[in-house]
Amino acid sequence: MSLMVDIEKKLGSFTLRSKFETDHGTMALLGASGCGKSVTLKCIAGIMTPDRGRIVLDGVTLFDSEKHIDLTPQQRQVGYLFQQYALFPNMTVAQNIQCGIRTGSRAEKQQRAAQQLRRFRLEGLEKKYPAQLSGGQQQRVALARILASEPKAILLDEPFSALDSFLKWNLELELSDLLSGFDGPILWVSHDLGECYRNCRTVCVIENGTSGAVTDMEALVHHPATQSAARLTGCRNFLSAQGCQGGVRLDGWGITLPLPAGDGPCTVAIPDGAVSLGAGPYRAQVFRTICDLNETAVLLRPAQDAAGPILRVSAPKTAAPAQGAAVAFDLLPEQCLCYR
Amino acid sequence: MDWYPLLNSLRIAAISAVVVFFTGIAAAYYIAKLPRLVKGILDVILTLPLVLPPTVVGYLLLRVLGPKRLIGAWVLEAFGIRMVMTWWSTIFATVVVVFPLMYRTVRGAFEAFDETLAYAGQTLGLSNTYIFWHIRMPYCRQGVLAGAVLAFARALGEYGATSMIAGYTPGKTATVSTTVYQLWQVGNDALALKWVLVNIGISAVILLVVNMLEKKNLLTAAGRGRRQTA
């Protein structure tokens, strides 16, 4: 069971280039909103037609611009969980699920729909209409309907964007449990790294319509290959620097980090964990503190330079330095990354 | 009182409503998919009868269907049938006049349809025909029914094009509206008033039906859902 995608599609001034391959298991398509994640899914499902390229699922060519193959969405057998679930509003829960069952007599379909209802703990809701269900129940019905259609791959388009955040965590758990029995490829589209990290094994980052290499989830989090990948991991500091002897020198800070960079300008990503406040060889001025929910964000500037580049650090609320104070800090070079 | 005009009007309106029900839905569905320019041109042509005076529509139909004109002459020669001055000639007039009402209303309803529902149906393996009749049409049912009722009502009252293409022959081409005009012209005021009252009664019932469709929101799924939870 594998899915190979290599497509190109022009949408106005924006060109999508998606290229990746995944076997069974869940792969995340991670990227900011509007970067082309949903378009990629629509091309795989056959709802949109790419300009060029190939899509092969499980040995079957779904789309090939050179050989003029373009299977209909019906022939592709790709399950698609839409953002708003797209339940048919004029049908009951049971009828919605029956719609997904492709083969069998009416009686067989009813029987299988009943099985699916039990499996997804939807008993008692079978005669309800989608408008009468909660968001979580709607999602379960949509997933039950998809799995009833026996898809060869499942595409999840921002599965939690339609839900309140306080509901999310247990629905996320439920979704991954329900999907665990499925042995084909699953693509999980999201802009939330945490959500992807908890649910996916591998990840492909899409940036401005271009997909990067497929990597391990752990590799992305600890060694993001591009600046945008680093941004997705939650890193907030991207300082300009110059390559020099013995590493890179941060502009304005005069700090040299032993990172392999070579000559010329580059960008250094400094995640929160790389900075330890309180002690160390470097000096800074606290130019601003921002009280956040669980911590205090501390904005630092070089001690002698009130217009210098800003370094943003998180500190525990109880141990945050005061605004205007002079502080010492240390940088752990092994956690910093240098990008050209 | 001879009830023939009422019977004739009702059957003409019913047949016209059925014809524009299907043609209007088909036009609204397929024209929406056409390129913008073609869509704009077709839109103007199909909506034109709504704003043209019905006498102009009647004139144009006579130019085409009259016994000495293109289609009329051919049908007369091939089948021996005259296409004007019969009770069913009126159907041509009412269909043309009423079509834009159905087409416009249905198109509005289709534009409000959530296309992801159709996509979801396709990815689940449902045929496009099934999606059309079991998902798109129920979703747009209110607009489609309102269009059909309006079309029926307008066909029932059609006078201008009707009088030109079918004239007024008692017991043959007479409709309620042409009968009212004829009775008034010959000075039979009492009978004219009776027909006027019949007409007002029917129109009131139709408007009541339209209001029920619009207000109560009975027929949409959302309405159904809300009613049951309430």
Side-chain angles (χ1 to χ4, degrees):
Chain A
M1 286 283 202
S2 74
L3 173 67
M4 195 285 290
V5 175
D6 181 2
I7 51 169
E8 226 182 282
K9 180 162 181 72
K10 210 169 150 56
L11 293 157
S13 60
F14 171 87
T15 307
L16 171 74
R17 284 184 199 85
S18 257
K19 183 175 178 173
F20 54 83
E21 198 169 344
T22 174
D23 52 6
H24 65 90
T26 311
M27 186 182 99
L29 273 181
L30 185 61
S33 44
C35 73
K37 297 167 299 191
S38 288
V39 177
T40 303
L41 290 196
K42 288 189 170 121
C43 287
I44 297 171
I47 298 164
M48 279 176 119
T49 313
D51 300 333
R52 255 186 303 287
R54 246 154 58 84
I55 301 169
V56 181
L57 171 61
D58 200 14
V60 180
T61 305
L62 304 184
F63 178 83
D64 190 328
S65 56
E66 275 171 28
K67 292 184 187 154
H68 300 287
I69 297 172
D70 185 9
L71 298 189
T72 64
Q74 284 94 337
Q75 292 167 323
R76 294 190 183 200
Q77 287 194 272
V78 171
Y80 197 130
L81 187 72
F82 289 87
Q83 277 184 28
Q84 311 288 334
Y85 314 129
L87 295 175
F88 306 137
N90 56 313
M91 297 187 193
T92 61
V93 167
Q95 287 168 333
N96 261 288
I97 292 172
Q98 260 186 58
C99 267
I101 302 169
R102 287 170 192 256
T103 52
S105 66
R106 206 192 178 90
E108 279 167 11
K109 282 186 178 181
Q110 270 167 4
Q111 202 188 349
R112 275 168 57 201
Q115 278 172 13
Q116 205 72 351
L117 279 161
R118 273 195 301 280
R119 198 181 137 206
F120 283 77
R121 294 186 291 105
L122 292 164
E123 298 114 315
L125 299 177
E126 49 268 70
K127 292 210 165 58
K128 298 254 186 205
Y129 287 89
Q132 298 169 289
L133 304 180
S134 72
Q137 288 169 333
Q138 286 183 24
Q139 190 185 61
R140 242 186 301 155
V141 175
L143 201 65
R145 188 173 75 169
I146 288 169
L147 287 170
S149 75
E150 295 176 351
K152 290 178 180 160
I154 294 180
L155 314 175
L156 309 168
D157 193 355
E158 302 263 8
F160 298 110
S161 62
L163 298 173
D164 294 334
S165 64
F166 88 97
L167 285 170
K168 267 181 68 171
W169 68 270
N170 59 10
L171 290 170
E172 205 180 298
L173 215 68
E174 201 175 87
L175 181 63
S176 64
D177 284 351
L178 291 169
L179 286 172
S180 63
F182 182 73
D183 62 354
I186 300 170
L187 286 187
W188 186 307
V189 156
S190 176
H191 60 265
D192 181 340
L193 177 81
E195 190 183 301
C196 293
Y197 184 76
R198 291 188 292 273
N199 296 292
C200 307
R201 264 187 328 116
T202 53
V203 58
C204 174
V205 174
I206 301 189
E207 180 190 1
N208 291 327
T210 306
S211 64
V214 178
T215 57
D216 234 49
M217 204 70 225
E218 292 292 338
L220 172 81
V221 173
H222 297 299
H223 305 284
T226 62
Q227 239 188 90
S228 68
R231 204 165 286 133
L232 285 167
T233 63
C235 179
R236 290 197 183 90
N237 295 302
F238 294 90
L239 300 182
S240 62
Q242 306 292 329
C244 63
Q245 215 165 22
V248 289
R249 197 175 177 79
L250 298 178
D251 290 347
W253 285 94
I255 298 171
T256 305
L257 296 171
L259 295 171
D263 283 341
C266 58
T267 301
V268 175
I270 305 172
D272 255 5
V275 187
S276 60
L277 273 179
Y282 312 121
R283 296 284 173 272
Q285 178 106 26
V286 178
F287 129 83
R288 185 83 199 269
T289 59
I290 302 162
C291 193
D292 212 334
L293 284 178
N294 304 311
E295 65 203 4
T296 300
V298 181
L299 305 189
L300 304 176
R301 270 184 167 150
Q304 306 303 327
D305 184 1
I310 297 167
L311 185 65
R312 187 193 153 117
V313 192
S314 296
K317 284 198 162 188
T318 48
Q323 212 155 289
V327 289
F329 70 98
D330 199 2
L331 273 180
L332 306 171
E334 62 273 18
Q335 294 207 20
C336 299
L337 290 148
C338 183
Y339 300 103
R340 279 276 148 202
Chain B
M1 194 162 148
D2 174 20
W3 289 102
Y4 180 81
L6 179 62
L7 176 88
N8 196 29
S9 280
L10 285 175
R11 74 176 166 192
I12 287 164
I15 294 169
S16 315
V18 170
V19 171
V20 299
F21 180 81
F22 290 104
T23 52
I25 287 171
Y29 182 67
Y30 287 108
I31 287 172
K33 295 179 171 185
L34 292 174
R36 222 154 141 204
L37 185 71
V38 187
K39 189 159 70 176
I41 293 168
L42 279 177
D43 227 34
V44 168
I45 295 172
L46 292 176
T47 314
L48 211 54
L50 191 68
V51 287
L52 281 179
T55 45
V56 171
V57 174
Y59 172 83
L60 291 173
L61 282 171
L62 279 177
R63 293 274 325 211
V64 181
L65 303 177
K68 288 177 185 158
R69 305 292 183 181
L70 193 69
I71 297 174
W74 179 79
V75 171
L76 187 61
E77 197 181 318
F79 305 103
I81 297 170
R82 278 172 66 92
M83 297 195 74
V84 295
M85 301 302 155
T86 65
W87 74 265
W88 46 265
S89 304
T90 312
I91 294 168
F92 298 121
T94 47
V95 162
V96 172
V97 170
V98 149
F99 176 84
L101 277 175
M102 185 70 189
Y103 166 68
R104 285 261 152 184
T105 321
V106 174
R107 210 188 59 178
F110 280 180
E111 274 164 7
F113 179 70
D114 178 6
E115 287 298 329
T116 54
L117 295 178
Y119 298 147
Q122 289 180 328
T123 59
L124 291 168
L126 300 173
S127 73
N128 290 338
T129 318
Y130 184 93
I131 292 168
F132 185 86
W133 290 108
H134 291 90
I135 296 164
R136 189 183 299 265
M137 285 299 277
Y139 192 96
C140 305
R141 188 146 87 185
Q142 212 183 336
V144 172
L145 281 182
V149 173
L150 277 176
F152 178 80
R154 177 70 184 83
L156 204 59
E158 161 55 23
Y159 174 80
T162 303
S163 64
M164 288 187 72
I165 202 166
Y168 172 79
T169 317
K172 277 182 80 183
T173 66
T175 66
V176 174
S177 52
T178 52
T179 301
V180 169
Y181 180 75
Q182 189 62 30
L183 290 172
W184 175 79
Q185 230 194 1
V186 301
N188 193 343
D189 218 31
L191 198 53
L193 181 65
K194 273 188 191 164
W195 278 113
V196 165
L197 291 176
V198 168
N199 217 328
I200 290 174
I202 295 170
S203 304
V205 169
I206 290 170
L207 284 180
L208 222 73
V209 171
V210 172
N211 272 356
M212 266 167 61
L213 287 178
E214 278 175 0
K215 256 191 216 153
K216 283 205 181 166
N217 205 6
L218 286 166
L219 296 162
T220 61
R224 188 159 29 183
R226 243 172 284 148
R227 246 185 341 146
Q228 286 188 359
T229 32

